[in-house]
Amino acid sequence: MFIKAAYQFLEELRLLQNVSVHTLRNYSIDLNALKTFLENEAPSPKIRYELPYIKRDLTQDPNISIENINRRTIRRFLAHHATISKRTQMRRISTLRSFFKFLMNKNIIKSNPMEDIESPKLEKSLPQSLSYEQVQNLLQQPDTATYLGFRDRAIMELLYSSGLRVNELVSLDRSAFDYENFSVLLRGKRKKERLVPITKNAADWMHNYLNHPKRHENSQKHLKQADEKAIFLNKWGQRITTRSVDRKFMKYHLMSGLPSDVTPHTIRHTIATHWLENGMDLKTIQVLLGHSSLSTTSIYTHVSTKLKKDAYDKAHPRA
């Protein structure tokens, strides 16, 4: 049955491939969309990404025959959802490819309905990048006279220093920070580890934040440290979340008066572009950012060229 097979698929992703909860959530959304499309008048419970899957009550699983799902079924399903964004379409097709490949490997189906199903082409847009002056403007927004403002400045300095992903930053433990050698040990996608150098300035901000006297005090605005492993803490003294970091950046973006949306990922794009413009080679940037493919890193050559062209147009007297 469809739902039982879906839960087997999600369970294997969780246990063997160790994918994130965010990825599991997206898979369940896509599988529910297909389930709803296949149902006639036999409503059934939604496929939930929450764990554990094995203990779910599957007795209400309607008799949706997986073997009857063919290429035409998939094409009708995709056509039915043609109004969703191309990026969501691409993710949905990727989910179904993984799901039906799993079913083939388990001998649950004999033919793969995803064969010859092509993903829509996504127009590549250049990532946003800030100038050095704009970065300095953004860095000066947190009120470092306060403990939480000091934390935010340390976060921003670290992001601009090394181009970390936000999930890498929030998962940093004290043991991963080497103050003497100005480096952090990161665990990136698929839990791949990489040692990343950071600037002395960023290292100083982190060191001073870790040794901030108010880190071990309760106040009206924050509680003392409760998580002894984490570097960056929220106001409750626990490890800060990616959502909290995103909210802080939105706040400081509005305060800075910068004309366009600025997120933590913008800082990642920005430092990569600045590295390139200051002579760092693409292979080194690839290693620092943790890209699995050099083609992903090469996008910054186009960003750098565009920035130089914009600067030229603004500065040239006959532009």
Side-chain angles (χ1 to χ4, degrees):
M1 294 184 189
F2 184 86
I3 294 183
K4 183 176 180 180
Y7 276 121
Q8 290 175 343
F9 170 62
L10 293 173
E11 191 71 4
E12 178 160 303
L13 289 174
R14 181 179 72 90
L15 295 176
L16 300 183
Q17 298 188 32
N18 198 26
V19 301
S20 68
V21 173
H22 176 73
T23 300
L24 291 172
R25 183 186 297 113
N26 285 337
Y27 277 136
S28 67
I29 289 171
D30 297 333
L31 292 173
N32 273 312
L34 178 59
K35 178 185 74 71
T36 301
F37 178 79
L38 296 173
E39 285 176 331
N40 292 319
E41 296 180 354
S44 61
K46 284 187 176 182
I47 299 166
R48 307 286 295 187
Y49 69 89
E50 291 95 339
L51 311 180
Y53 309 115
I54 291 177
K55 295 182 180 179
R56 294 289 175 189
D57 180 10
L58 305 179
T59 57
Q60 299 182 54
D61 187 353
N63 190 21
I64 299 175
S65 176
I66 297 177
E67 294 183 353
N68 291 336
I69 303 175
N70 53 38
R71 203 175 309 161
R72 285 179 296 177
T73 309
I74 298 298
R75 284 177 174 160
R76 289 198 308 270
F77 167 68
L78 296 175
H80 182 73
H81 294 279
T83 57
I84 63 178
S85 69
K86 286 187 177 181
R87 192 174 296 276
T88 303
Q89 290 178 40
M90 291 175 66
R91 189 201 72 202
R92 185 157 289 176
I93 291 173
S94 176
T95 295
L96 296 183
R97 281 189 181 135
S98 298
F99 177 56
F100 286 105
K101 182 180 179 180
F102 164 81
L103 298 181
M104 288 285 291
N105 292 337
K106 296 295 183 181
N107 295 318
I108 297 175
I109 58 175
K110 296 179 180 179
S111 61
N112 192 337
M114 295 304 296
E115 289 184 1
D116 300 325
I117 300 294
E118 297 183 356
S119 297
K121 292 183 178 180
L122 189 66
E123 295 181 2
K124 291 186 178 180
S125 57
L126 295 180
Q128 181 187 4
S129 181
L130 302 177
S131 67
Y132 180 75
E133 291 73 18
Q134 288 175 319
V135 172
Q136 294 307 304
N137 179 11
L138 190 62
L139 290 175
Q140 292 170 9
Q141 298 310 313
D143 181 6
T144 56
T146 68
Y147 168 68
L148 295 180
F150 198 97
R151 175 207 63 190
D152 295 343
R153 178 66 181 266
I155 286 175
M156 296 166 76
E157 290 284 354
L158 178 59
L159 288 176
Y160 182 63
S161 168
S162 53
L164 274 66
R165 300 179 179 93
V166 182
N167 64 318
E168 293 172 341
L169 180 139
V170 300
S171 64
L172 274 177
D173 290 335
R174 285 173 173 263
S175 59
F177 174 41
D178 187 343
Y179 180 54
E180 292 183 359
N181 295 303
F182 304 147
S183 65
V184 288
L185 182 63
L186 302 179
R187 180 172 288 185
K189 291 185 176 180
R190 301 291 180 185
K191 296 196 173 180
K192 293 181 179 179
E193 290 188 345
R194 70 184 192 277
L195 188 66
V196 176
I198 61 177
T199 64
K200 182 181 184 304
N201 183 54
D204 286 341
W205 276 99
M206 291 176 63
H207 177 75
N208 292 332
Y209 166 65
L210 286 170
N211 292 281
H212 199 291
K214 293 189 179 298
R215 189 180 179 97
H216 301 282
E217 297 178 5
N218 289 326
S219 73
Q220 292 182 343
K221 293 188 176 181
H222 75 274
L223 299 181
K224 65 181 181 180
Q225 172 183 291
D227 188 327
E228 297 181 355
K229 291 184 178 181
I231 291 182
F232 296 107
L233 307 176
N234 59 22
K235 65 180 181 180
W236 308 110
Q238 302 289 348
R239 186 183 297 272
I240 199 170
T241 64
T242 57
R243 182 168 294 184
S244 293
V245 175
D246 287 337
R247 283 199 300 263
K248 290 296 180 181
F249 261 79
M250 183 181 298
K251 169 187 173 182
Y252 295 130
H253 161 244
L254 294 174
M255 291 171 59
S256 70
L258 292 175
S260 53
D261 290 341
V262 175
T263 68
H265 214 68
T266 306
I267 305 302
R268 178 173 164 86
H269 293 318
T270 296
I271 189 55
T273 305
H274 291 181
W275 282 336
L276 184 65
E277 292 181 332
N278 284 280
M280 187 181 289
D281 63 278
L282 277 177
K283 187 64 179 177
T284 302
I285 296 175
Q286 176 193 358
V287 173
L288 291 175
L289 294 181
H291 287 161
S292 57
S293 171
L294 189 61
S295 61
T296 305
T297 315
S298 63
I299 188 67
Y300 297 111
T301 60
H302 303 292
V303 176
S304 180
T305 301
K306 182 179 184 301
L307 290 175
K308 290 175 181 176
K309 178 66 167 59
D310 291 344
Y312 174 86
D313 290 341
K314 291 178 180 179
H316 200 287
R318 292 189 177 181

Short mmCIF file of all heavy atoms in Angstrom, two decimals, residues 35-72:
data_model
loop_
_atom_site.label_atom_id
_atom_site.label_comp_id
_atom_site.label_asym_id
_atom_site.label_seq_id
_atom_site.Cartn_x
_atom_site.Cartn_y
_atom_site.Cartn_z
N LYS A 35 -0.28 11.28 -2.96
CA LYS A 35 -1.33 10.45 -2.35
C LYS A 35 -2.71 11.06 -2.56
O LYS A 35 -3.66 10.37 -2.94
CB LYS A 35 -1.05 10.28 -0.85
CG LYS A 35 -2.10 9.47 -0.10
CD LYS A 35 -1.84 9.44 1.39
CE LYS A 35 -2.18 10.77 2.03
NZ LYS A 35 -3.65 11.02 2.07
N THR A 36 -2.82 12.37 -2.33
CA THR A 36 -4.09 13.07 -2.49
C THR A 36 -4.58 12.98 -3.93
O THR A 36 -5.77 12.79 -4.20
CB THR A 36 -3.95 14.54 -2.08
OG1 THR A 36 -3.53 14.60 -0.72
CG2 THR A 36 -5.27 15.28 -2.24
N PHE A 37 -3.64 13.09 -4.86
CA PHE A 37 -4.00 13.00 -6.28
C PHE A 37 -4.52 11.62 -6.64
O PHE A 37 -5.45 11.47 -7.44
CB PHE A 37 -2.77 13.35 -7.13
CG PHE A 37 -3.00 13.25 -8.61
CD1 PHE A 37 -3.67 14.25 -9.30
CD2 PHE A 37 -2.54 12.14 -9.32
CE1 PHE A 37 -3.88 14.16 -10.67
CE2 PHE A 37 -2.75 12.04 -10.69
CZ PHE A 37 -3.42 13.06 -11.36
N LEU A 38 -3.94 10.59 -6.01
CA LEU A 38 -4.31 9.21 -6.33
C LEU A 38 -5.61 8.78 -5.67
O LEU A 38 -6.30 7.88 -6.15
CB LEU A 38 -3.18 8.26 -5.92
CG LEU A 38 -1.84 8.43 -6.65
CD1 LEU A 38 -0.78 7.55 -6.01
CD2 LEU A 38 -1.99 8.12 -8.13
N GLU A 39 -5.94 9.41 -4.57
CA GLU A 39 -7.16 9.03 -3.85
C GLU A 39 -8.41 9.42 -4.65
O GLU A 39 -8.46 10.45 -5.32
CB GLU A 39 -7.22 9.76 -2.50
CG GLU A 39 -6.28 9.19 -1.47
CD GLU A 39 -6.32 10.00 -0.20
OE1 GLU A 39 -6.58 11.22 -0.28
OE2 GLU A 39 -6.08 9.43 0.86
N ASN A 40 -9.44 8.61 -4.54
CA ASN A 40 -10.73 8.96 -5.13
C ASN A 40 -11.66 9.45 -4.04
O ASN A 40 -11.76 10.64 -3.77
CB ASN A 40 -11.34 7.75 -5.87
CG ASN A 40 -10.53 7.40 -7.10
OD1 ASN A 40 -10.10 8.29 -7.84
ND2 ASN A 40 -10.34 6.11 -7.35
N GLU A 41 -12.33 8.55 -3.40
CA GLU A 41 -13.23 8.95 -2.32
C GLU A 41 -12.88 8.25 -1.03
O GLU A 41 -13.73 8.09 -0.16
CB GLU A 41 -14.68 8.62 -2.71
CG GLU A 41 -15.16 9.41 -3.92
CD GLU A 41 -16.59 9.07 -4.29
OE1 GLU A 41 -17.15 8.15 -3.67
OE2 GLU A 41 -17.12 9.74 -5.18
N ALA A 42 -11.64 7.85 -0.90
CA ALA A 42 -11.21 7.14 0.32
C ALA A 42 -10.17 7.98 1.04
O ALA A 42 -8.97 7.78 0.87
CB ALA A 42 -10.64 5.78 -0.05
N PRO A 43 -10.62 8.98 1.83
CA PRO A 43 -9.66 9.82 2.54
C PRO A 43 -8.83 9.00 3.53
O PRO A 43 -9.30 8.02 4.08
CB PRO A 43 -10.55 10.83 3.27
CG PRO A 43 -11.86 10.14 3.42
CD PRO A 43 -12.01 9.28 2.19
N SER A 44 -7.61 9.42 3.73
CA SER A 44 -6.71 8.71 4.63
C SER A 44 -5.84 9.70 5.37
O SER A 44 -5.73 10.86 4.97
CB SER A 44 -5.84 7.73 3.84
OG SER A 44 -5.05 8.45 2.91
N PRO A 45 -5.25 9.27 6.48
CA PRO A 45 -4.41 10.20 7.26
C PRO A 45 -3.19 10.64 6.48
O PRO A 45 -2.66 9.91 5.65
CB PRO A 45 -4.00 9.36 8.48
CG PRO A 45 -4.13 7.94 8.02
CD PRO A 45 -5.27 7.92 7.06
N LYS A 46 -2.75 11.85 6.74
CA LYS A 46 -1.58 12.38 6.06
C LYS A 46 -0.32 11.63 6.49
O LYS A 46 -0.22 11.13 7.59
CB LYS A 46 -1.41 13.87 6.36
CG LYS A 46 -2.36 14.77 5.61
CD LYS A 46 -1.99 16.23 5.84
CE LYS A 46 -2.89 17.13 5.00
NZ LYS A 46 -2.51 18.57 5.18
N ILE A 47 0.65 11.63 5.57
CA ILE A 47 1.96 11.08 5.88
C ILE A 47 2.71 12.13 6.68
O ILE A 47 2.88 13.25 6.22
CB ILE A 47 2.73 10.75 4.59
CG1 ILE A 47 1.96 9.69 3.77
CG2 ILE A 47 4.14 10.27 4.89
CD1 ILE A 47 2.44 9.55 2.35
N ARG A 48 3.12 11.79 7.87
CA ARG A 48 3.76 12.74 8.76
C ARG A 48 5.27 12.50 8.79
O ARG A 48 5.72 11.36 8.78
CB ARG A 48 3.21 12.63 10.18
CG ARG A 48 1.70 12.71 10.24
CD ARG A 48 1.19 14.12 10.03
NE ARG A 48 1.62 14.99 11.09
CZ ARG A 48 1.21 16.25 11.22
NH1 ARG A 48 0.39 16.77 10.34
NH2 ARG A 48 1.65 17.00 12.21
N TYR A 49 6.03 13.57 8.83
CA TYR A 49 7.48 13.43 8.88
C TYR A 49 7.99 13.20 10.30
O TYR A 49 9.13 12.81 10.50
CB TYR A 49 8.17 14.66 8.30
CG TYR A 49 8.01 15.91 9.14
CD1 TYR A 49 8.92 16.23 10.14
CD2 TYR A 49 6.93 16.78 8.93
CE1 TYR A 49 8.76 17.35 10.92
CE2 TYR A 49 6.78 17.91 9.71
CZ TYR A 49 7.70 18.20 10.68
OH TYR A 49 7.56 19.32 11.45
N GLU A 50 7.14 13.48 11.32
CA GLU A 50 7.60 13.33 12.70
C GLU A 50 7.96 11.87 12.98
O GLU A 50 7.41 10.95 12.39
CB GLU A 50 6.53 13.78 13.70
CG GLU A 50 6.29 15.29 13.69
CD GLU A 50 5.14 15.67 12.78
OE1 GLU A 50 4.81 14.87 11.90
OE2 GLU A 50 4.58 16.76 12.98
N LEU A 51 8.89 11.71 13.90
CA LEU A 51 9.39 10.37 14.20
C LEU A 51 8.69 9.81 15.44
O LEU A 51 8.22 10.57 16.27
CB LEU A 51 10.90 10.46 14.46
CG LEU A 51 11.68 11.23 13.38
CD1 LEU A 51 13.17 11.24 13.76
CD2 LEU A 51 11.49 10.62 12.02
N PRO A 52 8.67 8.47 15.60
CA PRO A 52 9.13 7.47 14.65
C PRO A 52 8.03 7.10 13.66
O PRO A 52 6.85 7.13 14.01
CB PRO A 52 9.50 6.29 15.52
CG PRO A 52 8.52 6.38 16.67
CD PRO A 52 8.26 7.85 16.88
N TYR A 53 8.40 6.71 12.48
CA TYR A 53 7.41 6.37 11.45
C TYR A 53 6.83 4.98 11.67
O TYR A 53 5.65 4.73 11.42
CB TYR A 53 8.06 6.39 10.07
CG TYR A 53 8.82 7.65 9.78
CD1 TYR A 53 10.19 7.64 9.61
CD2 TYR A 53 8.15 8.87 9.71
CE1 TYR A 53 10.89 8.80 9.36
CE2 TYR A 53 8.84 10.03 9.47
CZ TYR A 53 10.21 10.00 9.30
OH TYR A 53 10.90 11.15 9.06
N ILE A 54 7.67 4.07 12.15
CA ILE A 54 7.25 2.67 12.24
C ILE A 54 6.03 2.50 13.13
O ILE A 54 5.18 1.63 12.91
CB ILE A 54 8.43 1.82 12.77
CG1 ILE A 54 9.53 1.76 11.71
CG2 ILE A 54 7.98 0.41 13.14
CD1 ILE A 54 10.77 1.00 12.14
N LYS A 55 5.88 3.35 14.14
CA LYS A 55 4.78 3.20 15.09
C LYS A 55 3.48 3.84 14.61
O LYS A 55 2.49 3.85 15.32
CB LYS A 55 5.19 3.82 16.43
CG LYS A 55 6.35 3.09 17.10
CD LYS A 55 6.68 3.70 18.45
CE LYS A 55 7.82 2.96 19.12
NZ LYS A 55 8.17 3.56 20.43
N ARG A 56 3.48 4.39 13.39
CA ARG A 56 2.26 5.00 12.88
C ARG A 56 1.17 3.95 12.65
O ARG A 56 1.46 2.80 12.29
CB ARG A 56 2.53 5.72 11.55
CG ARG A 56 3.45 6.92 11.69
CD ARG A 56 2.74 8.05 12.40
NE ARG A 56 3.64 9.17 12.64
CZ ARG A 56 3.36 10.21 13.37
NH1 ARG A 56 2.21 10.29 13.98
NH2 ARG A 56 4.22 11.19 13.53
N ASP A 57 -0.07 4.35 12.86
CA ASP A 57 -1.21 3.46 12.62
C ASP A 57 -1.52 3.49 11.13
O ASP A 57 -2.00 4.49 10.60
CB ASP A 57 -2.43 3.94 13.43
CG ASP A 57 -3.63 3.03 13.21
OD1 ASP A 57 -3.45 1.96 12.60
OD2 ASP A 57 -4.73 3.39 13.64
N LEU A 58 -1.23 2.38 10.44
CA LEU A 58 -1.43 2.33 8.99
C LEU A 58 -2.68 1.54 8.60
O LEU A 58 -2.86 1.19 7.45
CB LEU A 58 -0.19 1.70 8.33
CG LEU A 58 1.15 2.37 8.67
CD1 LEU A 58 2.29 1.64 7.98
CD2 LEU A 58 1.13 3.83 8.26
N THR A 59 -3.54 1.27 9.57
CA THR A 59 -4.73 0.45 9.28
C THR A 59 -5.71 1.17 8.37
O THR A 59 -6.52 0.54 7.71
CB THR A 59 -5.44 0.08 10.60
OG1 THR A 59 -5.77 1.29 11.30
CG2 THR A 59 -4.52 -0.76 11.47
N GLN A 60 -5.64 2.52 8.33
CA GLN A 60 -6.58 3.27 7.50
C GLN A 60 -6.02 3.54 6.10
O GLN A 60 -6.58 4.32 5.35
CB GLN A 60 -6.93 4.59 8.17
CG GLN A 60 -7.59 4.44 9.53
CD GLN A 60 -7.96 5.78 10.13
OE1 GLN A 60 -8.63 6.58 9.50
NE2 GLN A 60 -7.50 6.03 11.34
N ASP A 61 -4.90 2.90 5.78
CA ASP A 61 -4.28 3.11 4.49
C ASP A 61 -5.22 2.63 3.38
O ASP A 61 -5.55 1.46 3.30
CB ASP A 61 -2.97 2.31 4.44
CG ASP A 61 -2.15 2.59 3.18
OD1 ASP A 61 -2.67 3.30 2.30
OD2 ASP A 61 -1.02 2.11 3.08
N PRO A 62 -5.68 3.52 2.50
CA PRO A 62 -6.56 3.10 1.41
C PRO A 62 -5.81 2.22 0.43
O PRO A 62 -4.58 2.28 0.34
CB PRO A 62 -6.98 4.42 0.77
CG PRO A 62 -5.85 5.35 1.06
CD PRO A 62 -5.36 4.95 2.41
N ASN A 63 -6.51 1.43 -0.29
CA ASN A 63 -5.88 0.48 -1.21
C ASN A 63 -5.47 1.19 -2.50
O ASN A 63 -6.06 1.01 -3.56
CB ASN A 63 -6.85 -0.68 -1.51
CG ASN A 63 -6.15 -1.79 -2.26
OD1 ASN A 63 -4.93 -1.88 -2.23
ND2 ASN A 63 -6.93 -2.63 -2.92
N ILE A 64 -4.43 2.02 -2.39
CA ILE A 64 -3.87 2.68 -3.57
C ILE A 64 -2.77 1.76 -4.10
O ILE A 64 -1.74 1.58 -3.45
CB ILE A 64 -3.29 4.06 -3.23
CG1 ILE A 64 -4.39 4.97 -2.68
CG2 ILE A 64 -2.62 4.69 -4.44
CD1 ILE A 64 -3.87 6.32 -2.21
N SER A 65 -2.97 1.20 -5.24
CA SER A 65 -2.01 0.24 -5.79
C SER A 65 -0.82 0.97 -6.38
O SER A 65 -0.96 1.74 -7.35
CB SER A 65 -2.68 -0.62 -6.87
OG SER A 65 -1.73 -1.49 -7.45
N ILE A 66 0.34 0.72 -5.82
CA ILE A 66 1.55 1.37 -6.32
C ILE A 66 1.89 0.87 -7.72
O ILE A 66 2.39 1.60 -8.56
CB ILE A 66 2.73 1.10 -5.35
CG1 ILE A 66 2.43 1.74 -4.00
CG2 ILE A 66 4.04 1.64 -5.91
CD1 ILE A 66 3.50 1.48 -2.96
N GLU A 67 1.61 -0.40 -7.97
CA GLU A 67 1.95 -0.98 -9.27
C GLU A 67 1.17 -0.33 -10.41
O GLU A 67 1.59 -0.41 -11.57
CB GLU A 67 1.68 -2.49 -9.24
CG GLU A 67 2.62 -3.24 -8.29
CD GLU A 67 2.39 -4.73 -8.34
OE1 GLU A 67 1.42 -5.16 -9.00
OE2 GLU A 67 3.18 -5.48 -7.72
N ASN A 68 0.03 0.28 -10.10
CA ASN A 68 -0.77 0.92 -11.15
C ASN A 68 -0.29 2.33 -11.47
O ASN A 68 -0.81 2.97 -12.39
CB ASN A 68 -2.24 0.98 -10.73
CG ASN A 68 -2.87 -0.41 -10.72
OD1 ASN A 68 -2.39 -1.32 -11.40
ND2 ASN A 68 -3.92 -0.57 -9.93
N ILE A 69 0.67 2.84 -10.72
CA ILE A 69 1.22 4.16 -11.00
C ILE A 69 2.22 4.05 -12.14
O ILE A 69 3.25 3.37 -12.01
CB ILE A 69 1.92 4.76 -9.75
CG1 ILE A 69 0.96 4.82 -8.57
CG2 ILE A 69 2.50 6.13 -10.06
CD1 ILE A 69 1.62 5.27 -7.28
N ASN A 70 1.92 4.68 -13.25
CA ASN A 70 2.80 4.61 -14.41
C ASN A 70 3.23 6.02 -14.83
O ASN A 70 2.91 7.00 -14.17
CB ASN A 70 2.13 3.87 -15.58
CG ASN A 70 0.77 4.45 -15.92
OD1 ASN A 70 0.59 5.68 -15.88
ND2 ASN A 70 -0.19 3.61 -16.24
N ARG A 71 3.92 6.08 -15.95
CA ARG A 71 4.45 7.36 -16.41
C ARG A 71 3.34 8.36 -16.71
O ARG A 71 3.46 9.54 -16.41
CB ARG A 71 5.29 7.11 -17.67
CG ARG A 71 6.33 8.19 -17.95
CD ARG A 71 7.18 7.80 -19.13
NE ARG A 71 7.71 6.45 -18.95
CZ ARG A 71 8.17 5.69 -19.94
NH1 ARG A 71 8.16 6.14 -21.17
NH2 ARG A 71 8.64 4.48 -19.70
N ARG A 72 2.25 7.88 -17.26
CA ARG A 72 1.13 8.79 -17.56
C ARG A 72 0.50 9.33 -16.27
O ARG A 72 0.07 10.48 -16.22
CB ARG A 72 0.08 8.06 -18.39
CG ARG A 72 0.48 7.85 -19.85
CD ARG A 72 -0.58 7.11 -20.61
NE ARG A 72 -0.76 5.75 -20.10
CZ ARG A 72 -1.67 4.89 -20.55
NH1 ARG A 72 -2.52 5.26 -21.50
NH2 ARG A 72 -1.77 3.69 -20.04
#
